[in-house]
Amino acid sequence: MSGMKNNSIRVKTLFYLSLFSVFILLVLWGIQLVMSNFLYEKYQMRDVERIAKVISDTDDEDLHEYLSEIVYNNAVCIEYIDEFGTSTLYNDASTGCLLGRGNKTLLKYKKELYSNKDDIKAINLVNPDYDSSALLYGIEVDNNGYVFLYTMLSNVNKNYNLVKDQLIYITIVVIIVAIIISFYLANMFSEPIVKITNKSKLLAKGNFDIDFEKPGIKEIDELADTLNYLKSEVSKTDQYRRDLMANVSHDLKTPLTMIKAYAEMVRDISYKDKKKREDNLNVIIEETDRLNILVGDILTLSKLQANSDNIVIENFDLRKEIESILKKFEYLKETEGYTIELVAPKDVNVSADKSKINQVVYNLLNNAINYTGKDKKVILKITEDNNHYLIEIIDSGKGIDETDLEHIWEKYYKNDKNHKRNIVGTGLGLSIVKEILVKHNFKYGVKSEKNKGSTFYFEINKAK
């Protein structure tokens, strides 16, 4: 149980967002503490170089005034040597200034700069008093004078410590804020998923009176829509299953009851009367045939859906097969007055699985007979184009509601469970038709108009 809790979305979101915050803080620490010295010195060198250029371009009349202004506004000290060798110091008392102190190393650097013929010369050196970097510029001015500009590259240790102290407080605040935000985001993402999970468990137990709410997060909304659709479809399937059980139970119970009743009659009453005995036995045979059809439909659909019944393509004359199928319905013409009209070319040579297509035609005819109108008429029509034959089975019944059209091919579905004719209908016939035609990749469908009848159709390839 603890392992599940540790792997929850709430914990993972909290962990990864906190980890991300720590990573950002580490990057910030690295930039501030590693780059600060380099960047600070770089900015100082740029400013001193700018001052040196301005000194180089300043007229002799304004030079002394400008040098005084520079040392007043900047952390530098300056030594001016005129053409007679007279030295004037500006701000020589500033912290770290080596000018005018007779430092041997500095004197060596000054000679080196003086002998350099560039207008502006610069040397990096180390101030021995503070063990820190410094810059010494040599600038030749117009009146054959010379200016030495000296500045320390400020040691940023104080700034470093200040930044470090600030970063410690910033880190604490950021981590606290990150945890709060992470906790909020974790709850925002996990709560709808937990709710969906709990409702899914109820759905798995057969409770269809639930609704998966959408929290406003695109991916979770799509999941909720999918589960709502799943709930709807599972609910339909469950209802179809219940209907099937009711239908199959009824269709099984009726013939079994009659078989038992007539068998007992033969045993107890009519066994001596030949005519009555034969009539009773014929009823038993007919009811057995009804059971065979019912069980056969269930087995056929199971095989088709399990892909265990392979399609064997061959060329054959579909008209001859249909004529053979129509003979099975002859008894309906004689006993109940049905009319089945065949409108077709003389030869209908097609390429398909003969036994499977025969089953399609038989099921569609049986369906049309079940639901045709009071005229008890069914038309089977075949037309052709370049590559296909179109087979249409037309009845004159009351038609199919638009809301039912998309469901009639589903297993267990019956458009009218209380139809009056005593013809076997398990609710599997059209589903078998669909499975066979889909396996052949044949187009199929139904057109229906209320109170005018329905037309079931499918295309079949011509024989090559």
Side-chain angles (χ1 to χ4, degrees):
M1 193 74 180
S2 61
M4 290 175 63
K5 190 176 289 186
N6 289 338
N7 289 324
S8 69
I9 292 178
R10 183 181 284 108
V11 171
K12 284 195 171 184
T13 305
L14 189 63
F15 172 75
Y16 286 118
L17 285 177
S18 299
L19 191 66
F20 176 73
S21 301
V22 171
F23 172 75
I24 295 298
L25 287 169
L26 288 175
V27 172
L28 182 62
W29 275 72
I31 292 174
Q32 288 292 329
L33 303 182
V34 174
M35 299 292 293
S36 57
N37 281 339
F38 169 77
L39 294 174
Y40 195 71
E41 288 188 2
K42 182 179 178 182
Y43 293 147
Q44 279 190 307
M45 291 173 66
R46 185 186 64 186
D47 289 342
V48 173
E49 185 175 348
R50 176 182 54 81
I51 294 170
K53 287 181 179 179
V54 173
I55 293 173
S56 174
D57 297 334
T58 303
D59 294 335
D60 181 50
E61 295 176 358
D62 301 325
L63 182 60
H64 289 281
E65 183 180 345
Y66 185 66
L67 292 179
S68 299
E69 184 181 340
I70 288 173
V71 297
Y72 180 79
N73 293 321
N74 298 275
V76 297
C77 60
I78 295 174
E79 181 181 8
Y80 171 62
I81 301 175
D82 61 18
E83 69 269 26
F84 305 109
T86 303
S87 173
T88 304
L89 292 172
Y90 298 84
N91 199 28
D92 61 310
S94 66
T95 303
C97 183
L98 295 180
L99 295 175
R101 296 188 184 181
N103 184 283
K104 293 181 179 180
T105 303
L106 188 65
L107 291 174
K108 183 183 76 169
Y109 287 143
K110 288 168 69 175
K111 289 180 180 179
E112 184 178 329
L113 291 173
Y114 194 78
S115 62
N116 193 314
K117 296 183 179 180
D118 293 334
D119 290 341
I120 301 175
K121 290 76 72 175
I123 290 179
N124 279 29
L125 61 145
V126 176
N127 188 315
D129 296 338
Y130 296 93
D131 192 25
S132 65
S133 299
L135 272 179
L136 179 65
Y137 274 85
I139 308 158
E140 190 171 354
V141 291
D142 290 342
N143 59 356
N144 293 323
Y146 211 86
V147 173
F148 290 104
L149 175 66
Y150 177 88
T151 182
M152 289 182 63
L153 294 176
S154 300
N155 193 325
V156 295
N157 284 335
K158 292 183 180 179
N159 294 329
Y160 178 92
N161 292 329
L162 177 62
V163 170
K164 185 172 71 173
D165 290 340
Q166 289 177 340
L167 283 175
I168 290 173
Y169 291 113
I170 291 172
T171 300
I172 294 171
V173 171
V174 168
I175 289 177
I176 293 172
V177 171
I179 291 174
I180 294 171
I181 294 175
S182 301
F183 187 76
Y184 170 75
L185 291 176
N187 283 336
M188 186 177 71
F189 289 123
S190 65
E191 281 186 10
I193 294 177
V194 170
K195 288 181 180 178
I196 286 176
T197 302
N198 292 334
K199 288 186 177 181
S200 298
K201 291 176 182 177
L202 294 176
L203 178 62
K205 293 178 180 179
N207 182 358
F208 303 115
D209 297 326
I210 56 175
D211 186 54
F212 293 94
E213 300 171 357
K214 295 190 284 187
I217 301 170
K218 181 181 177 183
E219 291 76 7
I220 301 179
D221 287 352
E222 290 175 354
L223 176 61
D225 287 337
T226 302
L227 288 172
N228 280 324
Y229 176 75
L230 173 65
K231 178 200 71 173
S232 174
E233 293 302 307
V234 171
S235 177
K236 289 178 188 175
T237 302
D238 185 67
Q239 186 59 46
Y240 296 157
R241 179 184 61 80
R242 294 174 188 272
D243 292 342
L244 173 71
M245 294 303 294
N247 292 334
V248 171
S249 297
H250 178 268
D251 286 341
L252 283 173
K253 186 176 180 180
T254 302
L256 284 173
T257 301
M258 294 186 70
I259 288 171
K260 182 181 179 183
Y262 278 90
E264 288 175 345
M265 286 178 65
V266 171
R267 183 192 66 187
D268 299 332
I269 301 173
S270 62
Y271 67 94
K272 291 181 180 180
D273 188 327
K274 183 178 179 182
K275 185 177 183 306
K276 286 185 178 180
R277 184 176 69 244
E278 287 181 355
D279 289 343
N280 292 340
L281 290 174
N282 283 334
V283 172
I284 291 173
I285 291 169
E286 288 174 3
E287 295 304 317
T288 304
D289 288 340
R290 289 183 66 186
L291 286 174
N292 259 335
I293 293 171
L294 176 63
V295 174
D297 277 356
I298 295 173
L299 291 176
T300 298
L301 186 60
S302 297
K303 286 181 180 179
L304 288 169
Q305 291 184 332
N307 292 320
S308 60
D309 204 2
N310 295 325
I311 299 295
V312 180
I313 303 298
E314 58 181 307
N315 294 337
F316 60 95
D317 187 345
L318 181 60
R319 177 172 180 131
K320 287 183 180 179
E321 298 300 319
I322 290 175
E323 288 173 347
S324 176
I325 292 169
L326 292 178
K327 290 179 181 178
K328 298 178 182 180
F329 293 97
E330 285 290 333
Y331 74 97
L332 290 175
K333 293 182 181 180
E334 298 173 2
T335 60
E336 298 193 33
Y338 281 91
T339 301
I340 303 176
E341 182 181 344
L342 175 61
V343 181
K346 184 177 180 181
D347 297 313
V348 184
N349 294 314
V350 298
S351 179
D353 187 310
K354 182 167 40 173
S355 64
K356 299 289 189 302
I357 295 302
N358 283 351
Q359 191 167 15
V360 167
V361 174
Y362 179 86
N363 285 356
L364 290 177
L365 277 172
N366 192 62
N367 182 74
I369 290 167
N370 268 313
Y371 297 103
T372 196
K374 292 180 180 179
D375 61 359
K376 296 185 178 180
K377 184 176 182 179
V378 173
I379 300 173
L380 197 158
K381 183 179 178 182
I382 302 177
T383 53
E384 64 176 311
D385 60 21
N386 293 333
N387 300 311
H388 304 93
Y389 285 103
L390 176 66
I391 291 82
E392 297 175 287
I393 293 87
I394 306 164
D395 67 59
S396 58
K398 64 180 183 179
I400 306 169
D401 291 334
E402 276 191 38
T403 54
D404 292 323
L405 281 175
E406 61 180 307
H407 300 298
I408 59 173
W409 303 100
E410 297 171 2
K411 58 184 177 180
Y412 315 146
Y413 185 83
K414 269 191 174 183
N415 183 33
D416 182 3
K417 301 177 183 66
N418 298 315
H419 58 82
K420 295 179 181 179
R421 301 193 220 295
N422 190 27
I423 298 173
V424 175
T426 63
L428 299 175
L430 292 180
S431 185
I432 291 172
V433 168
K434 174 188 172 183
E435 292 291 334
I436 292 173
L437 295 177
V438 167
K439 285 183 180 293
H440 278 83
N441 289 321
F442 290 164
K443 291 182 179 179
Y444 68 94
V446 59
K447 296 177 287 187
S448 186
E449 191 173 345
K450 290 296 290 181
N451 300 318
K452 290 188 177 181
S454 302
T455 299
F456 286 81
Y457 64 89
F458 67 93
E459 290 184 354
I460 188 169
N461 295 335
K462 285 186 174 181
K464 295 181 182 179

